[in-house]
Amino acid sequence: MGKPLAIVTAVSLSLLLAAAFISPARAAEAPQPEPTGQELAFDNRKGNCLACHAMPGEPKAVTNTNIAPPLIGMAARFPDRRKLYGQIWDATRANPDTAMPPFGKNGILTDAEINKVVDYVYGL
Amino acid sequence: MNSCRIAICLLVGSGLVMGAAGHGARAAESGSKPVLSTEATEALARAESGVALATAKKALWTTAASALAQAQEAAKHQDNAAVMKYAAVAAEQASLGMAQADGPLTSQH
Amino acid sequence: MKQTTWMLTCLGMLAFSADALSLSPEQERLNRVQAVQQKYPDIKFEDYVYGALAFSPDAKAQYENMMAFPPFESEIDKGRQLWETPFNNGKRYADCFPGGGRNVAGNYPYYDETMKKVVTFEMALNQCRANNGAAPYKQADMNTMGLLTAYARTLSDGMLMNIKVKGSGALAAFESGRHFFYQRRGQLNFSCASCHVDHVGEILRTEYLSMLPGQTTHWPAFRGGDYALFTLQRRYSACNQLVRAVPMEIGGEEYNNLEYFHSYLSNGLPLKSSVFRK
């Protein structure tokens, strides 16, 4: 009997927590303009690319990271747009052990958002 | 192990019952307001059982939990479209979490 | 139904054979230590207890300064009061442990053969309370259990971490903790090892990533500008939330097994409680 109770408690607790977390965000949702590709790439609740990638050609990109290759010269290095899109959609396909989150597969970014990020990254 | 299975059944069961009966009934009671649609009711039940299963599997994502909370909140206001939207996210995020738990370990080279 | 049972049995056997292939606890520890040594030959093994600070001389110097007069000393004093106040029967916590509680924390967690489960130091403290007629503390309660350990663990400062894994039950618990550490979780799809093994010493936006060996020697930690008290398992919870995974119960079996594996990987390193962390 202990276990079901614990599980029910855990579920309801997490839901309560989640609810508390969400309501203010929803209130603020309405008037905000759509984020740009750059905003999506920088925002630590969205792409958060700067957690792992430096952007040496982008003065606004503030990060100390050295985890992953710097995002630079992307148009030359990724002539095939689908490849760049695929890397962001699910990085585990190219490297099963990767630390890069599968932004599309896990629904961290929508397809439209990934396209904006790809557009932005192509300019780097 | 057994008590765990019972817990899952209870949760799934109660989720379905709450989904099927609870929301519809509550909506009907409140009179003037529109009743939650059958589709929305079913979608919510699916999300609730998915989240319960992922919880039992210790594989629940915060995104699944919060989407379910949003769907449940929307159900209180008989907002069918919002219920459908958030319930779908919750069910999907719950099943992704469960699939992940069966996936390979990292760093085994 | 029969078929499902069969399939499950097969899956179970597969899982079992995969486990059987995994390294012995000691081989696993040595591999993880050697990997850090190869990547960072200038950092001494003893210094792994500094975690992320070991990668940044500046941050480590600031830390040493602060630790000379820890601003959270009064909190540790509250813990000392809890530790020293006798139970209703006149006995004390010190009576529950060999050596009055000195040099014991490095033996926890251990695997208890009769209970068939991992016993953490927090569980032993609660057992002591129960034996003396006091209600257990909630392990997630930083104002009781957290404070108590903030003092009780200082009594083991300098002791070397000394976790033992012997017998099949202990090994299974170790393997379960090991699995937790290497399993991806949360929407962001990280395992603990993605950060603390694969990218150890690298910088996640602004934070150096600490090494797995040495992560369990210095708890609880007082964190951030308000010196919030974090037991080791509260830290687990925070790292789970970071990757958008719903955390497990503090004091529950999953985290206890994780702590067992995790602490074994710190074997041979000196304990030092209670410290500051960002």
Side-chain angles (χ1 to χ4, degrees):
Chain A
M1 205 50 225
K3 204 138 190 185
L5 252 185
I7 295 178
V8 173
T9 323
V11 176
S12 25
L13 260 180
S14 56
L15 296 184
L16 270 176
L17 276 174
F21 209 74
I22 283 151
S23 346
R26 273 224 300 178
E29 215 171 71
Q32 240 157 57
E34 289 281 303
T36 65
Q38 185 187 63
E39 283 162 352
L40 290 166
F42 284 21
D43 186 345
N44 61 6
R45 285 155 308 170
K46 286 290 189 176
N48 200 14
C49 316
L50 296 178
C52 302
H53 295 277
M55 297 180 182
E58 169 65 84
K60 281 192 225 149
V62 183
T63 177
N64 298 330
T65 189
N66 55 359
I67 286 183
L71 299 178
I72 191 164
M74 300 308 283
R77 294 199 297 123
F78 283 85
D80 182 356
R81 184 185 170 98
R82 276 172 312 174
K83 203 171 158 217
L84 182 52
Y85 186 95
Q87 171 70 23
I88 302 174
W89 202 84
D90 182 6
T92 64
R93 284 209 200 144
N95 172 13
D97 236 17
T98 189
M100 177 159 157
F103 289 98
K105 181 178 172 230
N106 282 9
I108 304 163
L109 298 175
T110 64
D111 289 348
E113 287 172 331
I114 297 182
N115 271 315
K116 280 196 205 171
V117 171
V118 169
D119 289 342
Y120 169 68
V121 167
Y122 260 129
L124 294 173
Chain B
M1 194 61 219
N2 237 343
S3 74
C4 190
R5 212 170 289 154
I6 295 169
I8 299 173
C9 294
L10 275 176
L11 272 166
V12 173
S14 63
L16 285 170
V17 171
M18 274 169 53
H23 298 295
R26 246 181 281 144
E29 270 164 29
S30 58
S32 62
K33 279 185 195 157
V35 178
L36 202 61
S37 72
T38 319
E39 284 135 293
T41 307
E42 281 170 7
L44 185 57
R46 269 196 304 279
E48 281 167 340
S49 68
V51 166
L53 285 168
T55 305
K57 204 168 169 162
K58 322 272 182 197
L60 187 64
W61 296 356
T62 56
T63 46
S66 56
L68 179 58
Q70 281 173 297
Q72 286 166 333
E73 186 58 31
K76 283 192 205 145
H77 307 109
Q78 284 81 41
D79 182 346
N80 285 311
V83 170
M84 300 285 287
K85 178 176 139 197
Y86 292 123
V89 173
E92 200 216 7
Q93 294 281 297
S95 72
L96 283 165
M98 286 190 275
Q100 177 188 56
D102 296 327
L105 305 183
T106 70
S107 336
Q108 300 302 298
H109 36 265
Chain C
M1 194 61 213
K2 264 236 168 81
Q3 233 161 11
T4 352
T5 319
W6 256 107
M7 274 166 55
L8 284 175
T9 319
C10 291
L11 279 175
M13 279 162 69
L14 271 178
F16 183 77
S17 54
D19 274 356
L21 286 179
S22 60
L23 303 169
S24 78
E26 188 56 9
Q27 198 54 55
E28 166 103 21
R29 188 186 73 81
L30 289 172
N31 284 358
R32 290 308 170 212
V33 170
Q34 277 161 16
V36 181
Q37 281 172 338
Q38 259 161 33
K39 198 166 172 183
Y40 303 100
D42 293 341
I43 301 179
K44 287 187 286 207
F45 176 63
E46 310 87 83
D47 285 354
Y48 293 1
V49 299
Y50 293 109
L53 299 163
F55 301 104
S56 164
D58 279 358
K60 184 155 170 260
Q62 276 176 27
Y63 166 85
E64 304 281 11
N65 263 337
M66 172 183 279
M67 289 301 292
F69 301 99
F72 43 82
E73 194 127 275
S74 60
E75 296 299 291
I76 299 179
D77 266 348
K78 285 186 201 160
R80 183 216 299 268
Q81 272 167 28
L82 291 175
W83 173 266
E84 285 173 353
T85 306
F87 300 110
N88 286 339
N89 63 8
K91 291 247 171 78
R92 294 162 193 268
Y93 287 105
D95 299 321
C96 292
F97 296 92
R102 291 200 178 271
N103 295 328
V104 293
N107 297 325
Y108 293 89
Y110 71 93
Y111 183 79
D112 189 299
E113 287 291 345
T114 43
M115 288 196 279
K116 302 237 169 296
K117 62 179 178 194
V118 164
V119 176
T120 61
F121 189 51
E122 284 74 8
M123 285 161 77
L125 288 166
N126 265 342
Q127 189 59 53
C128 177
R129 293 179 61 76
N131 293 348
N132 292 292
Y137 284 147
K138 289 204 175 61
Q139 292 189 43
D141 185 358
M142 300 297 128
N143 291 318
T144 55
M145 184 58 89
L147 285 176
L148 177 61
T149 63
Y151 177 73
R153 285 182 185 274
T154 63
L155 298 174
S156 301
D157 280 1
M159 179 185 184
L160 300 186
M161 189 64 90
N162 181 33
I163 307 303
K164 299 199 167 72
V165 180
K166 286 208 187 86
S168 58
L171 197 59
F174 179 91
E175 281 299 328
S176 135
R178 180 177 185 280
H179 194 269
F180 196 104
F181 198 86
Y182 292 105
Q183 180 68 59
R184 291 184 185 274
R185 42 175 41 82
Q187 190 196 37
L188 299 185
N189 204 41
F190 291 93
S191 72
C192 311
S194 307
C195 286
H196 296 298
V197 172
D198 298 346
H199 293 286
V200 52
E202 296 169 24
I203 304 172
L204 187 71
R205 202 149 192 167
T206 55
E207 302 301 317
Y208 283 99
L209 292 165
S210 55
M211 51 287 253
L212 161 55
Q215 275 189 328
T216 65
T217 50
H218 47 274
W219 299 90
F222 291 88
R223 292 187 58 205
D226 57 351
Y227 308 115
L229 192 158
F230 274 67
T231 58
L232 178 58
Q233 293 201 5
R234 187 176 175 200
R235 179 75 241 200
Y236 293 166
S237 176
C239 275
N240 276 164
Q241 279 163 294
L242 194 67
V243 302
R244 301 184 189 162
V246 172
M248 301 288 110
E249 183 198 347
I250 290 179
E253 195 183 356
E254 294 80 20
Y255 279 174
N256 290 347
N257 289 344
L258 173 61
E259 187 177 332
Y260 187 44
F261 160 83
H262 201 197
S263 300
Y264 185 93
L265 271 277
S266 290
N267 264 359
L269 286 164
L271 271 54
K272 170 82 183 90
S273 297
S274 300
V275 304
F276 173 74
R277 283 290 189 269
K278 257 211 273 189

